[in-house]
Amino acid sequence: MKRLLVPLLILLLVASAAMADPLPLLDNLSETITVPYDDQDPSAGQYVYTYSYPYADPEDPTAYRINSFYEYLIKDTKDYTIPNLSEYYAGQHQNVTVDISYEVTCNNDEFFSVLIHKTEQVDSLTSESWEGNTFSRLNGMPDSTFDLPRLLGTLEVGEHDDWLENRQTRKANEAVWNLVWEIIEQNQDGLYNPDYTKEDLTFDLAPESDFFLDESGNPVFYVISPAAEGWNGSYPVLSADPSGQLLLFPLLLDDIEDEM
């Protein structure tokens, strides 16, 4: 028995050392797909979809948690999103260009997080959107990002009790809304629209999913706000800056837990 202890200890140390490193990344999963509306008539227009997502080295034992998510997303995009949208825009006689890129915001031995940026141009009209994707390298499930209650540890991975999930999600959401609203109320630099209300915030921010992690592993929540200049919507927007669209609210996990 004693003879087995040394090799086993070495094996555990090697595994521990491997997990202490950031997730190694290889070349992006990227492609440009062009769908002409009429093969015989280039002037009929086209739908162009370009994407770029991270791809982790499959040699890493945690890589499959991230890779499977983006591989499924790409397959779904090719099978459904691109055919359906290109057919729709062809019927509208509109040229469309979609470009999806990403930025790694956190990469450590526990978490891998990215901020996805999507730019869509329909004829001369351009719109932008963002989405945070966070993965747990220790407890995450394939094909799934990590949400806020699981990040806080108030829900277990694989939990399927609807009542408990709804309760813990609601508590986490309310804590974040309260903390973010405190920041908005201060409005020290005049960044936020004074007509904006906390009720508006609950419609614009879904804390359980609208976040990414910074390099320290703390969540950064975001609100995508239409530019104030020229906005003709029926509700107030958060940004008071004509050029402001992505508004960031970094919070500490400890502060969220205290608020709960």
Side-chain angles (χ1 to χ4, degrees):
M1 178 65 70
K2 290 182 179 179
R3 293 178 181 176
L4 294 176
L5 290 178
V6 174
L8 180 59
L9 179 60
I10 292 173
L11 203 63
L12 290 173
L13 289 174
V14 169
S16 176
M19 277 303 299
D21 294 329
L23 182 68
L25 301 177
L26 301 181
D27 290 343
N28 295 333
L29 295 170
S30 59
E31 186 178 3
T32 295
I33 300 170
T34 301
V35 182
Y37 297 153
D38 186 339
D39 291 332
Q40 307 303 318
D41 181 12
S43 66
Q46 61 185 8
Y47 183 89
V48 181
Y49 194 102
T50 300
Y51 65 81
S52 181
Y53 296 113
Y55 181 64
D57 186 348
E59 294 295 322
D60 186 283
T62 67
Y64 73 98
R65 303 182 194 274
I66 291 86
N67 291 344
S68 62
F69 177 84
Y70 290 110
E71 287 166 352
Y72 177 83
L73 178 61
I74 290 169
K75 183 179 186 304
D76 187 68
T77 298
K78 289 182 174 181
D79 289 349
Y80 300 102
T81 303
I82 293 175
N84 290 336
L85 288 182
S86 61
E87 181 178 1
Y88 168 78
Y89 284 115
Q92 301 298 311
H93 308 289
Q94 292 176 306
N95 283 291
V96 178
T97 300
V98 178
D99 186 79
I100 296 175
S101 59
Y102 73 92
E103 173 191 354
V104 176
T105 60
C106 179
N107 187 2
N108 59 34
D109 56 344
E110 292 187 78
F111 295 104
F112 181 76
S113 186
V114 300
L115 181 62
I116 305 293
H117 180 210
K118 178 181 178 181
T119 302
E120 184 172 19
Q121 182 171 339
V122 181
D123 287 338
S124 60
L125 182 64
T126 300
S127 62
E128 293 182 275
S129 61
W130 291 263
E131 178 183 332
N133 293 164
T134 295
F135 305 87
S136 170
R137 296 181 64 194
L138 301 179
N139 301 309
M141 299 179 65
D143 302 332
S144 178
T145 55
F146 228 47
D147 59 19
L148 181 59
R150 287 169 177 81
L151 181 67
L152 292 166
T154 58
L155 279 178
E156 298 292 331
V157 174
E159 177 63 64
H160 296 297
D161 184 326
D162 289 342
W163 178 86
L164 181 61
E165 285 191 89
N166 290 336
R167 178 177 182 273
Q168 299 299 71
T169 299
R170 184 173 63 254
K171 287 176 61 179
N173 284 351
E174 289 175 352
V176 171
W177 285 327
N178 289 338
L179 292 170
V180 170
W181 185 245
E182 288 178 8
I183 298 172
I184 294 173
E185 276 191 312
Q186 295 172 8
N187 200 11
Q188 294 177 345
D189 299 318
L191 296 174
Y192 311 119
N193 181 356
D195 294 329
Y196 194 81
T197 68
K198 188 176 180 181
E199 184 179 5
D200 295 323
L201 178 66
T202 64
F203 284 103
D204 289 343
L205 172 62
E208 72 271 19
S209 57
D210 290 350
F211 71 90
F212 57 89
L213 300 186
D214 63 19
E215 59 185 11
S216 299
N218 285 301
V220 179
F221 298 90
Y222 56 85
V223 173
I224 302 173
S225 176
E229 186 175 281
W231 171 250
N232 295 316
S234 59
Y235 59 90
V237 297
L238 177 54
S239 176
D241 182 350
S243 63
Q245 289 191 346
L246 181 66
L247 302 176
L248 303 180
F249 299 91
L251 298 177
L252 298 177
L253 283 172
D254 289 344
D255 289 345
I256 299 173
E257 292 169 354
D258 291 343
E259 184 69 22
M260 292 173 64

